[in-house]
């Protein structure tokens, strides 16, 4: 069946108040840990998007009971305890989700059964050696394509139990850190994991919610093995700041706009986008700060404003890694030069996002310089209507939509990939436009 393209027309202005759907990273972790508990957990504001549903399907395939409460964003999860997963009778499919594949590798590496995990064409091209190397040092037995560098992965039971590890990570990655932390729960001695720069700490927060103390010092976390998890009865998932980012940029660059985003997660390991937009001159007010479990949330009001270019260096990249495609759009509307450096990790995301941003925004007439580890963008620039390919990458599709909305419109090829992280994206976009003055 031929897939439909989607045309996004330019917007005069955007306005309205919207609640932001559940955080993808936190949703994955909530179901994984709930599935390892021995009491029922109700998860509120779970992200019912394809990536998280891949994790749900994998956990169900290992005997975890998951009830999706109809008409709500709630899940009720009942696991069989830390040692209660069952051998899956078929291949586990992580779909497009790197978080599912990498974090579950950590859990599966410790199980006394055999499992195989795979994913879609994009995920099977993404590097897995980065998790297999440390897990193997802990005693895991994992085989994979091209000398265990790519999925499908076959995971054999370890000989005896896993050993704790003292691991210095070569890249700042919450997925690698979390895979090791999850394996560490099952090891026979403590594990110490050090990153070059701090990445998102949702696994640390979620483990604490499940009664597992995580010692943190600088860029190092220490996880001790546990006998069981002490699950909360209710878990609240904050709104995803990575989804909010599209509206933060759109309202900033479309004159006359004002949007309020409610319940947005403002965990400091994720708020690089707020810091950078503020430095660029954006008009963003963070109000009503409160807690959603161990995660801070707030309501954010953004009004349009003029922007200026900025330089982003390697330390901040992990705090806004998923927001760079839409930040590149913001940079096109900013006066002066924006330089993004130290972001070579973008080359191994759902697609090579540095190449894709340069190519697709280039089709709209933008001039961007792609460097080995980033982008250089001189603004402001005028964009034209054109077709842009999403590369079947959700964040590329949404970034292209924002670019078109703020200029002469855009026709997105393969637009439906937004279902990976933000199924209602286009509906929300039209609702914000309908409220336009
Ligand atoms: C994620 C971590 C990041 C991010 C991804 C989700 C997570 O990846 O890009 O969308 O849930 O831990 P890396 O850890 O590979 O940087």
């Amino acid at each position: 069946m031929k897939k439909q393209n989607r045309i996004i027309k330019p917007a005069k202005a955007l306005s309205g108040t919207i609640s932001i759907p559940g955080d993808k990273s936190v949703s994955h972790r909530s179901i994984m840990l709930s599935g390892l508990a021995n009491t029922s957990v109700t998860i509120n504001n779970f992200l019912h998007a394809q990536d998280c549903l891949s994790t749900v399907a994998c956990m169900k395939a290992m005997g975890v009971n998951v009830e999706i409460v109809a008409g709500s964003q709630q899940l009720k999860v009942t696991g069989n305890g830390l040692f209660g997963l069952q051998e899956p009778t078929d291949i586990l499919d992580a779909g497009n989700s790197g978080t599912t594949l990498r974090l579950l590798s950590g859990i599966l590496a410790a199980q006394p059964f055999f499992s195989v995990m795979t994913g879609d064409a994009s995920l099977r091209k993404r590097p897995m050696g980065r998790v297999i190397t440390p897990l193997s040092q802990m005693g895991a037995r994992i085989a994979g394509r091209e000398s265990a560098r790519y999925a499908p992965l076959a995971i054999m039971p370890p000989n005896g139990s896993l050993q704790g590890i003292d691991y210095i990570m070569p890249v700042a990655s919450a997925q690698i850190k979390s895979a090791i932390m999850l394996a560490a729960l099952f090891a026979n001695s403590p594990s110490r994991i050090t990153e070059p720069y701090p990445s998102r700490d949702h696994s640390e927060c979620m483990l604490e919610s499940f009664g597992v103390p995580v010692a943190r010092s600088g860029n190092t976390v220490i996880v001790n093995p546990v006998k069981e998890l002490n699950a909360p009865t209710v878990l609240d998932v904050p709104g995803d700041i990575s989804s909010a980012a599209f509206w933060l940029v759109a309202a900033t660059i479309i004159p006359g706009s004002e949007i309020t985003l409610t319940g947005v997660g403002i965990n400091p390991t994720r708020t690089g986008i707020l810091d950078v937009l503020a430095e660029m001159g954006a008009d963003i007010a963070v109000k009503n700060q409160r807690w959603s479990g161990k995660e801070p949330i707030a309501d954010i009001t953004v009004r349009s404003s003029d922007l200026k270019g900025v330089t982003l260096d390697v330390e901040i990249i992990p705090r806004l890694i998923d927001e760079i495609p839409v930040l590149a759009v913001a940079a096109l509307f900013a006066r002066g030069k924006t330089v993004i450096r130290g972001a070579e990790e973008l080359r191994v995301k759902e697609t090579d996002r540095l190449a894709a941003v340069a190519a697709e925004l280039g089709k709209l007439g933008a001039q961007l310089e792609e460097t080995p580890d980033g982008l250089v963008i001189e603004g402001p620039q005028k964009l034209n209507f054109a077709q842009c390919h999403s590369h079947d990458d959700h964040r590329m599709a949404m970034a292209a939509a924002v670019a078109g909305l703020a200029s002469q419109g855009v026709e997105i090829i393969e637009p439906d990939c937004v279902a990976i992280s933000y199924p209602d994206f286009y509906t929300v976009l039209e609702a914000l436009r309908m409220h336009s003055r």
Side-chain angles (χ1 to χ4, degrees):
M1 208 170 65
K2 190 171 172 333
K3 291 187 194 153
Q4 292 275 311
N5 296 346
R6 181 177 281 266
I7 293 181
I8 306 288
K9 298 207 177 103
K12 284 206 192 67
L14 301 176
S15 81
T17 296
I18 53 172
S19 70
I20 294 296
D23 187 279
K24 182 156 82 67
S25 295
V26 177
S27 294
H28 283 298
R29 287 153 172 84
S30 71
I31 171 126
M32 287 183 196
L33 286 188
S34 299
L36 291 172
N38 50 17
T39 50
S40 291
V41 183
T42 298
I43 307 174
N44 290 322
N45 202 32
F46 184 83
L47 177 65
H48 288 269
Q50 271 173 21
D51 263 14
C52 301
L53 295 177
S54 294
T55 300
V56 169
C58 292
M59 297 305 288
K60 278 172 117 171
M62 292 188 283
V64 173
N65 188 282
V66 183
E67 280 170 51
I68 300 186
V69 183
S72 81
Q73 300 303 103
Q74 248 183 17
L75 276 191
K76 194 170 174 207
V77 183
T78 313
N80 299 304
L82 191 60
F83 302 96
L85 291 180
Q86 292 153 22
E87 183 171 79
T89 54
D90 202 348
I91 296 168
L92 299 172
D93 187 358
N96 191 244
S97 173
T99 308
T100 308
L101 192 74
R102 296 202 177 107
L103 269 59
L104 278 184
S105 305
I107 294 175
L108 292 172
Q111 303 306 313
F113 55 69
F114 171 72
S115 56
V116 180
M117 257 196 305
T118 192
D120 69 8
S122 153
L123 190 53
R124 280 181 275 120
K125 282 192 213 127
R126 296 180 63 188
M128 294 302 145
R130 47 179 58 196
V131 286
I132 297 174
T133 300
L135 293 175
S136 303
Q137 287 173 21
M138 297 175 81
R141 298 194 307 139
I142 306 178
R145 224 159 35 81
E146 294 193 26
S147 312
R149 284 162 52 215
Y150 300 101
L153 304 178
I155 305 176
M156 278 72 69
N159 294 320
S161 59
L162 296 181
Q163 298 110 49
I165 189 173
D166 188 347
Y167 192 65
I168 313 267
M169 290 168 41
V171 285
S173 158
Q175 294 183 352
I176 307 177
K177 175 176 65 175
S178 303
I180 305 171
M181 289 173 75
L182 289 167
L185 296 176
F186 299 90
N188 59 12
S189 58
S191 293
R192 213 182 129 86
I193 310 149
T194 304
E195 312 190 79
Y197 304 103
S199 65
R200 63 192 67 192
D201 66 355
H202 303 303
S203 297
E204 292 85 324
C205 297
M206 187 69 67
L207 279 168
E208 283 163 5
S209 296
F210 280 77
V212 181
V214 178
R216 312 192 204 189
S217 143
N219 295 351
T220 299
V221 294
I222 298 172
V223 181
N224 289 303
V226 291
K227 296 216 158 40
E228 61 181 11
L229 298 180
N230 192 355
T233 46
V234 178
L235 264 180
D236 294 317
V237 177
D240 197 329
I241 193 166
S242 296
S243 298
F246 298 100
W247 309 126
L248 292 173
V249 171
T252 297
I253 62 178
I254 301 175
S257 300
E258 176 173 337
I259 302 182
T260 294
L261 311 167
T262 60
V264 184
I266 51 162
N267 178 320
T269 61
R270 294 286 296 284
T271 46
I273 179 77
L274 296 180
D275 297 348
V276 168
L277 284 175
E279 196 186 334
M280 293 175 86
D283 179 353
I284 293 177
V286 177
K287 299 173 294 194
N288 301 332
Q289 294 199 23
R290 53 205 188 269
W291 291 93
S292 166
K294 303 261 177 205
E295 298 272 354
I297 61 170
D299 303 329
I300 302 180
T301 297
V302 52
R303 294 185 189 87
S304 50
S305 64
D306 292 338
L307 295 180
K308 60 180 174 31
V310 275
T311 295
L312 306 190
D313 265 318
V314 61
E315 303 82 16
I316 199 169
I317 299 298
R319 294 181 55 228
L320 46 67
I321 185 77
D322 293 335
E323 286 67 82
I324 291 174
V326 79
L327 261 179
V329 175
L332 289 173
F333 288 78
R335 187 161 303 282
K337 196 187 260 190
T338 292
V339 181
I340 302 172
R341 302 191 275 241
E344 60 271 28
E345 272 296 297
L346 287 183
R347 296 206 181 274
V348 291
K349 294 295 176 188
E350 284 80 332
T351 189
D352 175 342
R353 286 186 178 156
L354 293 178
V357 163
E360 301 308 320
L361 296 180
K363 290 178 186 166
L364 297 173
Q367 310 264 336
L368 301 93
E369 187 195 332
E370 178 190 346
T371 62
D373 65 343
L375 295 163
V376 179
I377 303 166
E378 184 95 46
Q381 298 192 25
K382 279 228 164 333
L383 305 182
N384 312 312
F385 177 88
Q387 281 194 334
C388 283
H389 201 297
S390 70
H391 297 240
D392 219 1
D393 177 332
H394 52 133
R395 302 211 194 275
M396 285 301 305
M398 293 187 275
V402 171
L405 203 58
S407 54
Q408 303 300 311
V410 62
E411 178 170 352
I412 304 174
I413 304 173
E414 294 203 1
D416 298 338
C417 49
V418 301
I420 290 292
S421 65
Y422 202 161
D424 290 339
F425 176 77
Y426 297 117
T427 315
V428 173
L429 183 154
E430 294 308 330
L432 290 170
R433 182 209 298 283
M434 267 166 44
H435 290 107
S436 294
R437 281 159 277 190

